[in-house]
Amino acid sequence: MKAIDIIHAEHRALGAVLQAFRFVLDGIRDGRLDADFELLGALIEYITDVPDKLHHPKEDDYLFVRMRARIPEAAALLDQLEADHVQGAQGTHALRDALRRYQSAGATGFAEFETAARSYIDTSWAHVGTEERELLPLARQKLTPEDWAGIDAAFAANKDPWSGPTGQFQALFSRIVTMVPAPYGVGPAAL
Ligand SMILES: [Fe+2]
Ligand SMILES: [Fe+2]
């Protein structure tokens, strides 16, 4: 798989989990779903760990480095996207803390958790959108075949970047699909 296809695939997978998370929050808010803390924990693990540990390092270390060298006019966009990566990683603990507080408070803690979760989801969604709309088209247009060869080689050295070094992220994705109710997953139907 080429590097750019891997990035698109990871964006699609992350986008699907972000949408599933919104669907679960809607269901709890509207009384159609009971809070499933195992599922909420898995959703948070995916939307924080996959970007922080798998996806953003590849962008920062390979794609962005090449783009900075080749496309000076991309500097402001790359600055913004790198800042998003840092901010996302900083938000990880806060989101996990919010889930812990919700779990110990029960239903009265939902509103605070929902605010924290939707804020993280919306920020992540906007970040992926900017990369899909602005960054990747610019990369396709301006990077040379030699640039892509270097990026592809770096990604290939990562073995199976889609699922992580031991396949744990693919397994996590599958676990989420089995827990999320239809139509976003195949878990037990909503009330
Ligand atoms: Fe990114
Ligand atoms: Fe990305």
Side-chain angles (χ1 to χ4, degrees), residues 56 59 85 127 131:
H56 293 161
E59 292 177 337
H85 292 177
H127 177 82
E131 289 182 344

Side-chain angles (χ1 to χ4, degrees), residues 1 4 20 38 42 54-55 65 85 96 98 101 146 149 155 185-186:
M1 223 174 166
I4 197 155
E38 190 190 344
L54 177 76
H55 182 73
V65 168
H85 292 177
R96 291 179 185 203
R101 282 198 300 277
E146 292 73 30
F155 274 39
V186 297

